[in-house]
Amino acid sequence: QVQLVESGGGLVQAGESLRLSCAASGNIFSFYAMDWYRQAPGKQRELVARITKSGATNYADSMKGRFTISRDNAKNTVYLQMNDLKPEDTAVYYCKGNRLLSGDVWGQGTQVTVSS
């Protein structure tokens, strides 16, 4: 069974950058799309970015221009580059693999904390 493991979170100051990684134990092309979600305390989990098998990307409006999703197919890894971080970006960030028939797969999450 494929597993997803996030890494790269941490504590940064506003305006700084982080790159999150989502490493899959199996082929990421078993998913029709890979997503990054985030959830702040007391808030709903929200979609941050998506990349499809074809490489098409989508972003939540608030992240456009600051966040970039990408992948390394040979490494079975999806990345989220986060620039110009703001305190409101503080959340647990989750990687998600979407499968049409076999069920979606979630990673364990990685904490991102942005101080002002």
Side-chain angles (χ1 to χ4, degrees):
Q1 182 179 0
V2 64
Q3 293 181 315
L4 304 176
V5 179
E6 302 97 333
S7 62
L11 174 62
V12 297
Q13 295 184 0
E16 296 182 342
S17 300
L18 281 173
R19 189 179 75 161
L20 306 183
S21 298
C22 173
S25 62
N27 189 350
I28 60 173
F29 287 101
S30 65
F31 304 108
Y32 67 82
M34 298 288 295
D35 300 338
W36 284 99
Y37 281 77
R38 71 184 185 186
Q39 188 166 26
K43 303 291 186 179
Q44 295 185 73
R45 188 170 297 186
E46 63 176 340
L47 178 65
V48 174
R50 166 171 289 190
I51 185 166
T52 70
K53 278 187 174 181
S54 69
T57 58
N58 293 278
Y59 301 92
D61 287 343
S62 62
M63 290 79 169
K64 287 183 178 179
R66 296 193 299 121
F67 290 10
T68 303
I69 188 170
S70 63
R71 69 184 179 215
D72 186 326
N73 297 338
K75 295 181 178 180
N76 282 313
T77 300
V78 176
Y79 303 98
L80 183 68
Q81 178 68 43
M82 305 185 294
N83 297 326
D84 191 25
L85 283 163
K86 306 177 186 299
E88 51 263 42
D89 295 320
T90 295
V92 177
Y93 284 72
Y94 297 91
C95 182
K96 179 190 177 187
N98 297 281
R99 301 190 297 191
L100 189 62
L101 299 177
S102 301
D104 301 336
V105 179
W106 290 85
Q108 84 289 348
T110 185
Q111 177 71 47
V112 173
T113 303
V114 185
S115 66
S116 59

